[in-house]
Amino acid sequence: MLYGMSSTNTSPPNASTPSIILDCDPGHDDAIAIVVAAQHTNLVGITTVAGNAPLTMTTRNALIMTDLLGIDTPVHSGADRPLVAPPRHAGYVHGESGLDGADLPEPTRGANGDNAVEFIIETCRTTEGIWLVPVGPLTNIALALRTASDLKDRIAGISLMGGGSFGNRSAAAEFNIWADPEAAAMVYEYGGPLKMAGLDVTHQFQATPDRIAKVSALPGRLAELLADLLHFFSATYMTRHDDMGGAAVHDPLAVMALTHPELFTIAQRHVVIETAGEHTRGMTLIDERALIERRPPNCDVLTHVEADAAFDVIVAAIAHFSN
Ligand code: RIB
Ligand code: CA
């Protein structure tokens, strides 16, 4: 494909099941990503990072989701703060628990370990070809890449949620990148396959009332709780954005980029992270120039999603765990 051309993935709809480690900071949309990953991937492990809420809460929330799905996927907690930036959270969107808005049960188990970086490295050395799917700040992933120089050659690639041509935590920076720009810079420079679900595509994927109603119509406690979470998430989004009909359900798109590539259009671009700008720290600078001086692409940027079909994937995954 010529550089700069956009393309709709032509992968067959039934692309082989990817093995992934989901690195997350649940987080309402992270919770949905866990459901989709549990249904459509070989979910080798879940690692948690501080982001939407402190690490103790994001880890607790991940464990609650595995309970609700009835899966025993190993959960390993990771970094409780960014590499350099101060710890900052997003209670204004997700609530103080990180997963406000539903009457969630207490977790029935503790984490399998508290060294996510070691889990990522050892798992990817034992089993090659795993995708790392980070949907929170990139601290764990950056630490793993820095600790194990062989990691980049053992993984299939990285499919992340983050960045965009505009921000949400600032005019320039999206939260996951803004929270730990130094980590993000290491990830975008790692040199292997990289997919990016940024705000340009995730804002196309909103939990509108009609879509949440499809979840509410499903039987069982899981669907009821997830519908409550989506209502809460959408309520906070609607009070903060002028132009949205529901919360942008960001994180599952980083999973579906691997499991349902036919639903996306991508553009191959060079993306670099701003770490120093007074007003732009945490920005993903996407080189859109149609100039021969443009830098070779290092990233598949997701630019469009078939939103109705993608949300039906979520509804079907919830239904699968509701029977
Ligand atoms: O900016 C959206 C991202 O920040 C999502 O991953 C959301 O869960 C929060 O982590
Ligand atoms: Ca997240």
Side-chain angles (χ1 to χ4, degrees), residues 23-30 52 94 135-137 161 175-176 250-251:
D23 186 74
C24 56
D25 62 333
H28 293 69
D29 52 327
D30 306 69
N52 285 321
H94 297 276
V135 294
M161 189 278 141
F175 177 81
N176 289 340
H250 309 276
D251 293 343

Coordinates of all heavy atoms in Angstrom, one line a residue, residues 23-30 52 94 135-137 161 175-176 250-251, ligand 2:
D23 N -3.6 -4.7 29.1 CA -3.1 -3.8 30.1 C -4.1 -2.6 30.3 O -4.3 -1.9 29.3 CB -1.7 -3.3 29.7 CG -1.0 -2.5 30.9 OD1 -0.6 -3.1 31.8 OD2 -1.0 -1.3 30.8
C24 N -4.7 -2.5 31.5 CA -5.8 -1.6 31.6 C -5.9 -0.9 32.9 O -5.2 -1.2 33.9 CB -7.1 -2.4 31.4 SG -7.3 -3.8 32.5
D25 N -6.8 0.1 32.9 CA -7.0 0.9 34.1 C -8.5 1.1 34.3 O -9.1 2.2 34.3 CB -6.3 2.3 34.0 CG -6.9 3.2 32.9 OD1 -7.4 2.6 31.9 OD2 -6.8 4.4 33.0
P26 N -9.3 0.0 34.5 CA -10.7 0.1 34.6 C -11.2 1.1 35.7 O -10.8 1.0 36.8 CB -11.1 -1.4 35.0 CG -10.0 -2.2 34.7 CD -8.7 -1.4 34.8
G27 N -12.1 1.8 35.2 CA -12.4 2.4 33.8 C -13.6 1.6 33.2 O -13.5 0.4 33.0
H28 N -14.6 2.5 32.9 CA -15.9 1.9 32.3 C -15.6 1.3 30.9 O -16.0 0.2 30.6 CB -16.9 3.0 32.2 CG -17.4 3.5 33.5 ND1 -16.6 4.2 34.4 CD2 -18.6 3.3 34.1 CE1 -17.3 4.5 35.5 NE2 -18.5 4.0 35.3
D29 N -14.8 2.0 30.1 CA -14.6 1.4 28.7 C -13.6 0.3 28.8 O -13.6 -0.6 28.0 CB -14.2 2.5 27.8 CG -13.0 3.4 28.3 OD1 -12.9 3.6 29.5 OD2 -12.2 3.8 27.4
D30 N -12.7 0.3 29.8 CA -11.8 -0.8 30.0 C -12.6 -2.1 30.3 O -12.3 -3.2 29.9 CB -10.8 -0.6 31.1 CG -10.0 0.7 31.0 OD1 -10.6 1.8 31.1 OD2 -8.8 0.6 30.8
N52 N -7.2 5.9 35.3 CA -8.5 6.4 35.6 C -8.7 6.5 37.2 O -9.4 7.4 37.6 CB -9.6 5.5 35.1 CG -9.7 5.6 33.6 OD1 -9.6 6.7 33.1 ND2 -9.9 4.5 32.9
H94 N -14.9 8.8 35.6 CA -15.2 7.4 36.0 C -15.6 7.3 37.4 O -15.9 6.2 37.9 CB -13.9 6.6 35.7 CG -13.6 6.5 34.3 ND1 -14.1 5.6 33.4 CD2 -12.7 7.2 33.6 CE1 -13.6 5.8 32.2 NE2 -12.7 6.8 32.3
V135 N -4.6 -0.2 27.3 CA -5.8 0.8 27.1 C -5.8 1.8 28.3 O -6.9 2.3 28.6 CB -7.1 0.0 26.9 CG1 -7.1 -0.8 25.6 CG2 -7.4 -0.9 28.1
G136 N -4.7 2.0 28.9 CA -4.5 3.0 29.9 C -3.2 3.6 29.7 O -2.5 3.5 28.7
P137 N -2.7 4.4 30.7 CA -1.3 4.9 30.6 C -0.3 3.8 30.3 O -0.5 2.7 30.8 CB -1.1 5.5 31.9 CG -2.5 5.9 32.4 CD -3.4 4.8 31.9
M161 N -5.0 1.9 22.9 CA -6.0 3.0 22.8 C -5.2 4.2 23.4 O -4.7 4.2 24.5 CB -7.2 2.8 23.7 CG -8.3 3.8 23.5 SD -8.0 5.4 24.4 CE -8.5 6.6 23.3
F175 N -5.9 11.4 27.4 CA -5.6 11.1 28.8 C -4.5 10.0 28.9 O -3.5 10.2 29.7 CB -6.8 10.6 29.6 CG -6.5 10.2 31.0 CD1 -6.4 11.1 32.0 CD2 -6.3 8.8 31.3 CE1 -6.1 10.7 33.3 CE2 -6.0 8.4 32.6 CZ -5.9 9.4 33.6
N176 N -4.6 8.9 28.2 CA -3.6 7.8 28.4 C -2.2 8.3 28.1 O -1.2 7.8 28.7 CB -4.0 6.6 27.5 CG -5.2 5.9 28.0 OD1 -5.6 6.0 29.2 ND2 -5.8 5.1 27.1
H250 N -14.1 3.9 24.2 CA -12.7 4.0 23.6 C -12.1 2.6 23.6 O -11.7 2.1 22.5 CB -11.8 4.9 24.4 CG -12.3 6.2 24.7 ND1 -12.2 7.3 23.9 CD2 -12.8 6.7 25.9 CE1 -12.7 8.4 24.4 NE2 -13.1 8.1 25.6
D251 N -11.9 1.9 24.7 CA -10.9 0.9 24.8 C -11.2 -0.4 24.1 O -10.2 -1.0 23.5 CB -10.7 0.5 26.3 CG -10.1 1.7 27.1 OD1 -9.5 2.6 26.4 OD2 -10.1 1.7 28.3
Ligands
CA2 CA -8.6 2.9 29.9

